[in-house]
Amino acid sequence: ARDVPFLGACYGIGTLGRHQGADVDRRHGEPVGAVTISVTEAGACDPLMEIAGDTFGAYGGHKEAIRHLPAHAVNLASSARCPVQAFRVGKRAYATQFHPELDLDGLATRVETYKHAGYFEPHEAEDIIAAAHASGVTQTPNFLGRFVELFAVDD
């Protein structure tokens, strides 16, 4: 109700989504790796997402995703397999399905760290990292820095 600044990534989209009444299920999972994100019309006008342009590359990988947002939530971005890659509630509560913090090196570290966690078969780790290198995605737009610029509060 106070519209506190919040930015939840990956699991954060399901957390904020469920809190707000979104339908979260396993229909729109994506494999670990690079994904092309399309910014919606609302996203193009959003102060956080406007830095991205029409499309951008990012890294993700998830089993659960938002299938449908409640009417008060604003869908800011999607991908071919996932209808909600980013959304906003109010003016300062955001969530992304993709990982805005990951660059190519970060993804490689994450793949090695989680290769026995059930997201993919352990023997696929090298192929996932190779595909990430081949994707051309090196980093996402600086959503984290932009979020701080927009919503950091001076004490």
Side-chain angles (χ1 to χ4, degrees), residues 32 107-126 128-129:
V32 175
L107 177 76
T109 299
R110 190 172 180 85
V111 166
E112 285 300 319
T113 301
Y114 288 101
K115 72 179 174 184
H116 297 288
Y119 290 98
F120 51 86
E121 293 297 320
H123 70 273
E124 297 173 325
E126 287 183 28
I128 291 169
I129 293 170

Side-chain angles (χ1 to χ4, degrees), residues 19-105:
H19 180 269
Q20 294 297 309
D23 295 324
V24 179
D25 60 28
R26 290 183 172 237
R27 293 182 189 181
H28 300 289
E30 293 177 301
V32 175
V35 62
T36 299
I37 309 291
S38 297
V39 176
T40 65
E41 189 174 319
C45 300
D46 182 83
L48 179 63
M49 296 297 293
E50 70 185 4
I51 66 170
D54 294 339
T55 62
F56 62 94
Y59 291 112
H62 52 95
K63 295 178 182 181
E64 294 182 340
I66 292 178
R67 179 172 37 97
H68 182 264
L69 285 169
H72 67 279
V74 180
N75 190 359
L76 303 172
S78 64
S79 65
R81 290 182 63 166
C82 185
V84 182
Q85 281 284 352
F87 77 96
R88 185 189 77 241
V89 175
K91 293 183 179 182
R92 304 187 304 171
Y94 288 85
T96 66
Q97 184 68 73
F98 63 91
H99 284 271
E101 80 283 7
L102 284 183
D103 58 11
L104 186 54
D105 290 337

